[in-house]
């Protein structure tokens, strides 16, 4: 019991030491922002001070939270689709030379189309609902995940493959036992990039046309000069991004466990 | 006695990618091993020892020459000999125990039976208590022993061992050598050992091939006619030193 408490204490201590400088820096920047805006008498609609934003978050918490969940939902669903399709298609491309020749050039060249630019067309086809947002998020996150999956499956130590061959392993055994585990760290790199892109995708496709979500709230608040609400929405978006980042990191630690083993 | 491995007039060259030159590694090599024989291969680094083992194991093919291994009819020798490479090549995502039974896993053996076999040998291999550790949590010597255990568990008639004990301290090394001799005798294995260590080669082998860097086609054969079982003290014996004196000038050339 005492040991556990000790362990938790040391852990808290390391977390504290790790984050302390960043927290202090952010806090001082906020204080400078607050004081200088108040001294210069900057109007609230032009640049609200941190306390305005905190008040806004407190007073309209239900409204902001409701829209946050819509955006989070779009990201989670779209991102899940991109994970499944990115890994699956990446895997198929590496496994079959024919599929590689057929699909890979299309994937690469499709990247010259800015996905954001097709959001208006998706709006025309699928309306103001969630589907076009999910599609944009899915498409935007698909590419980094697929490409990193392909990279990971291909960048395999030849010595390990040879070792498996001397044990009598066949192609599918080498794929399953060497290539897949080897690709996992790469896939997580793709997930991190795709995750960041998917937040952007969700907000921008909400700007294009929607009736709910944080992007919609920003667009609606701007002409009303509710700038503190725009800031509150940005704050919540970064919280969403941060939480998703932690989630991806947590999964990575669990799945790619051998990378973080203590010596 | 019929040779179990018979290599005739084998040549192998590699193209150096930077200079685009063809470098001859093995040049008209003749080599054989009899059933149940313990043979060592010594020579300076870069003389082609590992290349020869790669070819015997089936990982690589010769440019010219014949290679015959009795019991193996087809050209595909992969998976039919136990081969321990110089690098430990353990999978970082598998524990010591799971790594050691990889060969059996590939052959679709029952996992519990395989684990049982491995667990019985952990003590001998100095790995007991470390079965659930991952490769980057253990020392280089331990990794080498885990790799050795993986090779042994594949349980083939012919063992190709490329410097299996190089990372071990002398006490552990001596233990592993004794254990290897026991295995060899008990199960009538045929063993080809690559080593840098002349004492090790003489202590273990029936015959030693000495490869030289400067002159490819001269593989000298040294017969080690020391009585078995051999003890550690044999290294001080006159007959042992005589053989060592025979080998040294060959290597230093």
């Amino acid at each position: 019991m005492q040991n556990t408490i000790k362990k938790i204490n040391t852990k808290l201590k390391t977390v504290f030491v790790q984050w302390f400088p960043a927290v202090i820096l952010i806090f001082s920047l906020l204080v400078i922002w607050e004081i200088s805006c108040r001294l210069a008498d900057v109007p609230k609609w032009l640049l609200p001070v941190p306390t305005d934003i905190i008040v806004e978050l407190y007073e309209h918490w239900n409204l902001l939270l409701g829209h946050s969940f819509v955006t989070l939902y779009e990201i989670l669903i779209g991102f899940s689709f991109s994970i499944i399709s990115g890994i699956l298609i990446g895997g198929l491309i590496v496994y079959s030379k024919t599929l590689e020749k057929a699909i890979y050039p299309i994937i690469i060249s499709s990247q010259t189309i800015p996905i954001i630019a097709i959001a208006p067309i998706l709006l025309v086809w699928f309306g103001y609902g969630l589907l076009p947002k999910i599609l944009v998020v899915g498409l935007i996150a698909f590419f980094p995940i697929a490409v990193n999956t392909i990279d990971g499956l291909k960048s395999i130590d030849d010595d390990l493959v040879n070792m498996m061959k001397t044990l009598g392993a066949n192609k599918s055994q080498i794929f399953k036992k060497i290539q897949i585990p080897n690709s996992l760290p790469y896939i997580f790199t793709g997930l991190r990039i795709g995750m960041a892109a998917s937040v952007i995708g969700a907000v921008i496709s909400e700007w294009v046309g929607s009736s709910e979500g944080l992007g919609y709230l920003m667009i609606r608040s701007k002409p009303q000069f509710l700038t503190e609400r725009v800031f509150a929405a940005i704050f919540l978006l970064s919280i969403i991004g941060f939480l998703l980042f932690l989630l991806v990191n947590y999964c990575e630690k669990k799945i790619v466990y051998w990378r973080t083993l203590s010596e | 006695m019929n040779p179990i491995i018979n290599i005739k007039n084998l040549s192998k060259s590699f193209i150096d990618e930077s200079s685009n030159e063809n470098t001859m590694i093995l040049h008209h090599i003749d080599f054989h091993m009899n059933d149940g024989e313990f043979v060592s291969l010594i020579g300076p680094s870069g003389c082609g020892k590992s290349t020869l083992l790669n070819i015997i194991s089936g990982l690589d093919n010769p440019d010219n020459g014949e290679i015959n291994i009795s019991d193996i009819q087809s050209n595909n020798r992969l998976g039919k000999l136990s081969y321990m490479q110089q690098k430990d090549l353990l999978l970082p995502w598998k524990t010591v125990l799971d790594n050691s039974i990889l060969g059996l896993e590939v052959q679709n053996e029952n996992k519990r039976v395989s684990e049982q076999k491995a667990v019985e040998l952990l003590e001998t291999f100095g790995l007991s208590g470390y079965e659930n550790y991952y490769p980057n949590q253990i020392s280089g010597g331990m990794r080498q022993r885990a790799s050795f255990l993986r090779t042994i568990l594949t349980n083939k008639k012919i063992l190709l061992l490329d410097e299996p004990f190089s990372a071990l301290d002398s006490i552990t090394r001596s233990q592993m050598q004794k254990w290897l001799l026991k295995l060899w005798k008990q199960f009538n294995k045929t063993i080809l050992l690559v080593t840098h260590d002349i004492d090790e080669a003489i202590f273990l082998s029936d015959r030693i091939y000495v490869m030289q860097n400067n002159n490819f086609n001269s593989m000298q054969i040294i017969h080690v006619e020391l009585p078995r079982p051999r003890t550690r003290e044999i290294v001080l014996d006159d007959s042992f030193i005589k053989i060592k004196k025979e080998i040294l000038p060959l290597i230093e050339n």
Side-chain angles (χ1 to χ4, degrees), chain A residues 4 8 16 46 53 59 76 95 113 164 210 216 228 233 260:
Chain A
T4 345
I8 292 170
F16 185 73
L46 187 64
I53 300 164
E59 283 183 347
L76 286 179
Y95 201 70
I113 307 167
M164 286 297 278
S210 60
Y216 161 76
E228 70 275 18
T260 44

Side-chain angles (χ1 to χ4, degrees), chain A residues 170-263:
Chain A
N170 57 33
K171 193 186 165 189
S172 79
Q173 283 175 321
I174 291 172
F175 192 76
K176 214 174 95 190
K177 295 183 201 299
I178 304 282
Q179 281 179 284
I180 290 181
N182 182 69
S183 70
L184 291 174
Y186 293 80
I187 292 176
F188 273 99
T189 305
L191 290 185
R192 254 192 300 271
I193 301 168
M195 201 274 306
S198 67
V199 177
I200 300 169
V203 177
I204 296 186
S205 55
E206 282 174 3
W207 287 355
V208 172
S210 60
S211 51
E212 48 188 341
L214 286 172
Y216 161 76
L217 194 65
M218 290 164 84
I219 292 286
R220 199 187 64 181
S221 308
K222 191 187 63 174
Q224 296 173 303
F225 293 104
L226 289 168
T227 314
E228 70 275 18
R229 189 167 293 172
V230 178
F231 271 91
I234 293 170
F235 174 74
L236 288 170
L237 275 173
S238 61
I239 293 290
I240 289 176
F242 185 66
L243 289 178
L244 289 173
F245 180 81
L246 289 183
L247 179 70
V248 172
N249 266 12
Y250 177 78
C251 293
E252 183 176 18
K253 255 194 183 153
K254 289 286 153 196
I255 294 171
V256 195
Y257 53 86
W258 64 92
R259 280 285 182 104
T260 44
L261 289 173
S262 51
E263 301 272 321

Side-chain angles (χ1 to χ4, degrees), chain A residues 84-102:
Chain A
I84 296 165
S85 55
I87 293 175
L88 208 65
I89 290 176
L92 285 173
I93 282 174
V94 175
Y95 201 70
S96 150
K97 276 265 179 288
T98 323
L99 279 175
E100 178 174 6
K101 281 178 192 152

Side-chain angles (χ1 to χ4, degrees), chain A residues 38-50:
Chain A
R38 280 183 191 273
L39 288 177
D41 219 3
V42 180
K44 195 173 160 185
W45 58 265
L46 187 64
L47 180 61
V49 289

Side-chain angles (χ1 to χ4, degrees), chain B residues 154-202:
Chain B
T154 55
N155 200 24
K156 305 288 185 220
K157 168 90 180 133
I158 303 172
L159 266 73
L160 309 173
L161 306 172
D162 197 348
E163 299 191 30
F165 308 133
S166 61
L168 305 183
D169 61 88
S170 60
I171 295 169
T172 322
R173 173 186 277 243
S174 149
Q175 274 171 1
M176 296 309 290
Q177 286 170 350
K178 262 189 221 149
W179 184 83
L180 182 64
L181 282 177
K182 206 177 113 199
L183 173 98
W184 172 62
K185 226 175 137 192
Q186 199 173 347
F187 297 100
N188 192 32
K189 303 266 185 200
T190 304
I191 299 179
L192 174 55
L193 175 88
V194 167
T195 180
H196 271 121
D197 186 334
I198 300 172
D199 283 7
E200 180 173 270
I202 302 171

Side-chain angles (χ1 to χ4, degrees), chain A residues 148-159:
Chain A
N148 279 285
T149 304
I150 292 166
D151 260 13
L153 289 171
K154 281 190 168 176
S155 67
I156 177 76
D157 186 353
D158 286 337
D159 290 339

